[in-house]
Amino acid sequence: MRILLTILIALFSLSVLAQKTKTVEGEYTYHAPENVTLEQARRTALERAKIQALADEFGTIVSQTDISRIENDNGKTDVNFLSLGGSEVKGEWIETIGEPIYNIRYEGNMLVVSCKVKGKAREIVSAQIDFTAMVLRNGTEEKYESDQFRNGDDLYLLFHSPIKGYLAVYLVDADDQAFCLLPYRNQTEGIYPVKANQRYLFFNEELALREEHSLVDEYVMTTERSSEHNQIYVIFSPNQFIKAIDETANEGLPRQLSADKFNRWLAKCRKHDNEMKMKMMPIIIKR
């Protein structure tokens, strides 16, 4: 009975910890350079407002690394010291409450975008999983990393994790539709397991794992607009999770759901899994 009670208390404590979030608010004003579009400026202001909210609530971690470099020139030894400093917020954004509020104006010829945002967040209390995720354009090596695409360009994703786990990849387009890029359409388990320390290249049949050749979906980026902003979400956890409920709306496209349903699914997953990490990478597609 004592052992059972201890187990129940431990499970209850983990459940409370997994769901512990705070409501936070942040505001940021972004002065956009000349080459930045209004959509890009809005997105930058929003992301920095979220970071400001996290920093105000949870604080930041300040780090410093000292590097020494020793040079020998014709018998003369020179020692140089370099100090690298940086900071990062101690919290992570879980979901946005309501719609962000924007104030867009011009000061002289400069675009200025202010953003207020409210959402739910949680404190980071342990070391983060440092995985690699890179969007590639028309090539399968790291040098092809890009966030700029044109009609007809191929899309690939490079992924590498130091630990084993589970992966999902979504693309949210300009029409607020979320497309499930991974797991592939013909994978019926609704989950994609990855091994530790293995380099994965997705959306390329030729370089895929042998057992996955018949499953791989390959993607070509297209748009009917002059310019379209999309976001790619890479979601990873050492704990098993299942992709969002979606459906096939067009045989030529990945399975899809609304961006609102996708965001609610992602927020729910992250509330219950402290170890789930997400990387969002914006891309632009031009005609």
Side-chain angles (χ1 to χ4, degrees), residues 92-93 131 232-236 266 270 276-280:
E92 59 182 343
W93 197 268
F131 65 80
I232 292 179
Y233 290 80
V234 178
I235 304 157
F236 174 80
L266 181 57
R270 299 185 73 197
M276 176 176 281
K277 301 303 166 191
M278 181 271 293
K279 182 176 182 181
M280 191 275 285

mmCIF file of all heavy atoms in Angstrom, residues 92-93 131 232-236 266 270 276-280:
data_model
loop_
_atom_site.group_PDB
_atom_site.id
_atom_site.type_symbol
_atom_site.label_atom_id
_atom_site.label_comp_id
_atom_site.label_asym_id
_atom_site.label_seq_id
_atom_site.Cartn_x
_atom_site.Cartn_y
_atom_site.Cartn_z
ATOM 1 N N GLU A 92 9.324 29.012 -22.576
ATOM 2 C CA GLU A 92 8.927 28.670 -23.944
ATOM 3 C C GLU A 92 7.442 28.930 -24.138
ATOM 4 O O GLU A 92 6.628 28.738 -23.243
ATOM 5 C CB GLU A 92 9.281 27.226 -24.276
ATOM 6 C CG GLU A 92 8.645 26.177 -23.383
ATOM 7 C CD GLU A 92 9.082 24.776 -23.747
ATOM 8 O OE1 GLU A 92 9.607 24.591 -24.864
ATOM 9 O OE2 GLU A 92 8.892 23.869 -22.929
ATOM 10 N N TRP A 93 7.109 29.415 -25.331
ATOM 11 C CA TRP A 93 5.733 29.767 -25.701
ATOM 12 C C TRP A 93 4.961 28.503 -26.023
ATOM 13 O O TRP A 93 5.402 27.668 -26.814
ATOM 14 C CB TRP A 93 5.761 30.687 -26.907
ATOM 15 C CG TRP A 93 4.490 31.435 -27.147
ATOM 16 C CD1 TRP A 93 3.448 31.069 -27.939
ATOM 17 C CD2 TRP A 93 4.139 32.706 -26.588
ATOM 18 N NE1 TRP A 93 2.471 32.024 -27.913
ATOM 19 C CE2 TRP A 93 2.869 33.037 -27.092
ATOM 20 C CE3 TRP A 93 4.774 33.583 -25.718
ATOM 21 C CZ2 TRP A 93 2.213 34.227 -26.761
ATOM 22 C CZ3 TRP A 93 4.136 34.755 -25.376
ATOM 23 C CH2 TRP A 93 2.870 35.071 -25.893
ATOM 24 N N PHE A 131 18.337 19.601 -31.277
ATOM 25 C CA PHE A 131 18.302 18.876 -32.553
ATOM 26 C C PHE A 131 18.562 19.840 -33.706
ATOM 27 O O PHE A 131 18.415 21.053 -33.578
ATOM 28 C CB PHE A 131 16.980 18.123 -32.748
ATOM 29 C CG PHE A 131 15.763 19.007 -32.868
ATOM 30 C CD1 PHE A 131 15.453 19.648 -34.065
ATOM 31 C CD2 PHE A 131 14.904 19.183 -31.785
ATOM 32 C CE1 PHE A 131 14.326 20.450 -34.185
ATOM 33 C CE2 PHE A 131 13.772 19.984 -31.889
ATOM 34 C CZ PHE A 131 13.485 20.618 -33.091
ATOM 35 N N ILE A 232 7.145 26.288 -41.747
ATOM 36 C CA ILE A 232 7.373 24.858 -41.563
ATOM 37 C C ILE A 232 7.642 24.601 -40.085
ATOM 38 O O ILE A 232 8.508 25.241 -39.482
ATOM 39 C CB ILE A 232 8.542 24.364 -42.429
ATOM 40 C CG1 ILE A 232 8.145 24.445 -43.909
ATOM 41 C CG2 ILE A 232 8.938 22.930 -42.056
ATOM 42 C CD1 ILE A 232 9.224 24.013 -44.863
ATOM 43 N N TYR A 233 6.877 23.681 -39.506
ATOM 44 C CA TYR A 233 7.009 23.330 -38.096
ATOM 45 C C TYR A 233 7.641 21.939 -37.993
ATOM 46 O O TYR A 233 7.113 20.968 -38.541
ATOM 47 C CB TYR A 233 5.645 23.295 -37.416
ATOM 48 C CG TYR A 233 4.994 24.648 -37.246
ATOM 49 C CD1 TYR A 233 4.332 25.273 -38.304
ATOM 50 C CD2 TYR A 233 5.023 25.302 -36.018
ATOM 51 C CE1 TYR A 233 3.732 26.509 -38.142
ATOM 52 C CE2 TYR A 233 4.425 26.544 -35.844
ATOM 53 C CZ TYR A 233 3.778 27.135 -36.912
ATOM 54 O OH TYR A 233 3.183 28.362 -36.753
ATOM 55 N N VAL A 234 8.758 21.862 -37.286
ATOM 56 C CA VAL A 234 9.407 20.591 -36.988
ATOM 57 C C VAL A 234 9.189 20.309 -35.508
ATOM 58 O O VAL A 234 9.628 21.082 -34.646
ATOM 59 C CB VAL A 234 10.907 20.630 -37.325
ATOM 60 C CG1 VAL A 234 11.571 19.314 -36.963
ATOM 61 C CG2 VAL A 234 11.107 20.932 -38.806
ATOM 62 N N ILE A 235 8.499 19.223 -35.207
ATOM 63 C CA ILE A 235 8.093 18.900 -33.834
ATOM 64 C C ILE A 235 8.748 17.581 -33.435
ATOM 65 O O ILE A 235 8.589 16.564 -34.121
ATOM 66 C CB ILE A 235 6.560 18.783 -33.746
ATOM 67 C CG1 ILE A 235 5.911 20.075 -34.255
ATOM 68 C CG2 ILE A 235 6.112 18.470 -32.332
ATOM 69 C CD1 ILE A 235 4.495 19.900 -34.735
ATOM 70 N N PHE A 236 9.487 17.607 -32.328
ATOM 71 C CA PHE A 236 10.246 16.420 -31.901
ATOM 72 C C PHE A 236 10.061 16.192 -30.406
ATOM 73 O O PHE A 236 10.010 17.140 -29.621
ATOM 74 C CB PHE A 236 11.729 16.600 -32.199
ATOM 75 C CG PHE A 236 12.586 15.487 -31.658
ATOM 76 C CD1 PHE A 236 12.686 14.278 -32.321
ATOM 77 C CD2 PHE A 236 13.279 15.655 -30.466
ATOM 78 C CE1 PHE A 236 13.463 13.248 -31.815
ATOM 79 C CE2 PHE A 236 14.064 14.635 -29.955
ATOM 80 C CZ PHE A 236 14.163 13.423 -30.632
ATOM 81 N N LEU A 266 -1.194 21.202 -31.309
ATOM 82 C CA LEU A 266 0.196 21.404 -30.889
ATOM 83 C C LEU A 266 0.255 21.928 -29.457
ATOM 84 O O LEU A 266 1.083 21.467 -28.649
ATOM 85 C CB LEU A 266 0.880 22.382 -31.841
ATOM 86 C CG LEU A 266 2.354 22.693 -31.550
ATOM 87 C CD1 LEU A 266 3.195 21.425 -31.535
ATOM 88 C CD2 LEU A 266 2.900 23.679 -32.576
ATOM 89 N N ARG A 270 2.074 20.005 -26.262
ATOM 90 C CA ARG A 270 3.173 20.625 -25.520
ATOM 91 C C ARG A 270 2.820 20.843 -24.050
ATOM 92 O O ARG A 270 3.707 20.834 -23.185
ATOM 93 C CB ARG A 270 3.569 21.933 -26.188
ATOM 94 C CG ARG A 270 4.069 21.745 -27.626
ATOM 95 C CD ARG A 270 4.560 23.025 -28.220
ATOM 96 N NE ARG A 270 5.842 23.412 -27.627
ATOM 97 C CZ ARG A 270 6.353 24.628 -27.719
ATOM 98 N NH1 ARG A 270 5.673 25.577 -28.350
ATOM 99 N NH2 ARG A 270 7.521 24.912 -27.180
ATOM 100 N N MET A 276 8.716 17.930 -25.293
ATOM 101 C CA MET A 276 8.437 18.179 -26.707
ATOM 102 C C MET A 276 9.002 19.530 -27.117
ATOM 103 O O MET A 276 8.778 20.537 -26.454
ATOM 104 C CB MET A 276 6.937 18.135 -26.994
ATOM 105 C CG MET A 276 6.581 18.493 -28.435
ATOM 106 S SD MET A 276 4.817 18.324 -28.803
ATOM 107 C CE MET A 276 4.706 16.548 -29.035
ATOM 108 N N LYS A 277 9.754 19.550 -28.216
ATOM 109 C CA LYS A 277 10.353 20.772 -28.718
ATOM 110 C C LYS A 277 9.870 21.029 -30.142
ATOM 111 O O LYS A 277 9.640 20.109 -30.915
ATOM 112 C CB LYS A 277 11.881 20.701 -28.675
ATOM 113 C CG LYS A 277 12.439 20.465 -27.268
ATOM 114 C CD LYS A 277 11.971 21.535 -26.306
ATOM 115 C CE LYS A 277 12.225 21.152 -24.871
ATOM 116 N NZ LYS A 277 11.545 22.047 -23.916
ATOM 117 N N MET A 278 9.757 22.313 -30.469
ATOM 118 C CA MET A 278 9.250 22.709 -31.779
ATOM 119 C C MET A 278 10.158 23.775 -32.377
ATOM 120 O O MET A 278 10.573 24.701 -31.689
ATOM 121 C CB MET A 278 7.809 23.224 -31.643
ATOM 122 C CG MET A 278 7.159 23.636 -32.957
ATOM 123 S SD MET A 278 7.453 25.387 -33.359
ATOM 124 C CE MET A 278 6.539 26.203 -32.061
ATOM 125 N N LYS A 279 10.458 23.638 -33.655
ATOM 126 C CA LYS A 279 11.214 24.658 -34.376
ATOM 127 C C LYS A 279 10.369 25.115 -35.557
ATOM 128 O O LYS A 279 9.959 24.306 -36.384
ATOM 129 C CB LYS A 279 12.553 24.098 -34.870
ATOM 130 C CG LYS A 279 13.416 25.130 -35.585
ATOM 131 C CD LYS A 279 14.781 24.557 -35.961
ATOM 132 C CE LYS A 279 15.663 25.604 -36.623
ATOM 133 N NZ LYS A 279 16.981 25.057 -37.015
ATOM 134 N N MET A 280 10.090 26.425 -35.623
ATOM 135 C CA MET A 280 9.302 26.980 -36.725
ATOM 136 C C MET A 280 10.230 27.734 -37.662
ATOM 137 O O MET A 280 10.993 28.596 -37.229
ATOM 138 C CB MET A 280 8.210 27.903 -36.183
ATOM 139 C CG MET A 280 7.185 28.315 -37.245
ATOM 140 S SD MET A 280 7.697 29.747 -38.225
ATOM 141 C CE MET A 280 7.420 31.065 -37.049
#
